[in-house]
Amino acid sequence: MLTVASHRCTYLATVCLCPPECSHLTMVVATFQRMRQEQRNMASKAAELEMESNEHSLVIDTLKDVDPSRKCFRLVGGVLVERTVKEVLPALQTNKEQLSKIIESLNTMMLEKGRELTEYRERFNIRLVGEGETDAQSQSTTASKDSEGGNPKSGAGVLVS
């Protein structure tokens, strides 16, 4: 659900009272939704890789106590390949290290995306449905006091579900 009262219009450089179907408001909301989805995708991928890293750890811990010449099987590109423990263990350790680096990188990217989202929300005064209802009430009272004082900037903005 999208509710628009008034916002700081970047196209007009003033406060405007645009209808919800206004093209630049639609673009603002679409961009915000896209950024949120990108952050969700990063979080999902990081969780998936974290699970894979945990699986690698379990296998590494199991293989450490096994005779290095013992046969073991490894899935490579959908094909089960017969190897020895001494061949598989270093590869698993390398893969786990690479997964850890990728997870760290994804976490850094998620933090950066979170900062971008926060800046974007503040720039366009975007509020999520159900977020800070008490804050919204206090802002509306502050905004009405500002309006009475002649301040043209309103506390209302784009409401995104």
Side-chain angles (χ1 to χ4, degrees):
M1 181 173 119
L2 170 68
T3 306
V4 178
S6 65
H7 69 284
R8 193 107 176 108
C9 181
T10 57
Y11 295 95
L12 302 175
T14 61
V15 174
C16 69
L17 298 170
C18 297
E21 59 275 354
C22 186
S23 65
H24 66 276
L25 288 179
T26 306
M27 288 186 337
V28 167
V29 171
T31 302
F32 179 71
Q33 296 290 16
R34 181 186 48 78
M35 291 169 71
R36 280 178 51 188
Q37 188 59 43
E38 287 172 2
Q39 189 181 36
R40 283 188 202 114
N41 290 344
M42 284 183 221
S44 173
K45 191 63 174 177
E48 177 186 328
L49 292 176
E50 188 68 42
M51 287 175 36
E52 195 170 323
S53 177
N54 291 340
E55 289 176 9
H56 275 66
S57 296
L58 287 172
V59 174
I60 289 169
D61 290 343
T62 303
L63 291 179
K64 279 183 181 177
D65 301 330
V66 177
D67 178 30
S69 62
R70 184 173 174 180
K71 278 193 235 178
C72 68
F73 295 89
R74 181 172 181 213
L75 193 62
V76 179
V79 178
L80 200 57
V81 181
E82 183 179 333
R83 300 276 187 238
T84 62
V85 171
K86 75 175 183 181
E87 294 173 333
V88 171
L89 195 56
L92 283 173
Q93 291 169 334
T94 303
N95 286 352
K96 185 179 181 298
E97 290 169 8
Q98 290 174 347
L99 283 172
S100 296
K101 289 177 185 177
I102 292 170
I103 291 167
E104 285 179 34
S105 173
L106 273 173
N107 286 334
T108 304
M109 289 170 51
M110 280 190 322
L111 288 174
E112 180 60 34
K113 185 59 73 174
R115 282 188 217 107
E116 286 178 29
L117 272 167
T118 302
E119 290 171 8
Y120 196 80
R121 286 180 65 184
E122 290 172 358
R123 179 176 169 200
F124 291 102
N125 196 18
I126 297 172
R127 291 178 294 129
L128 300 175
V129 173
E131 177 186 80
E133 292 172 354
T134 56
D135 292 341
Q137 291 173 351
S138 67
Q139 283 181 355
S140 64
T141 35
T142 305
S144 63
K145 289 178 185 176
D146 288 345
S147 297
E148 292 169 3
N151 187 349
K153 187 174 181 181
S154 173
V158 180
L159 185 62
V160 179
S161 61

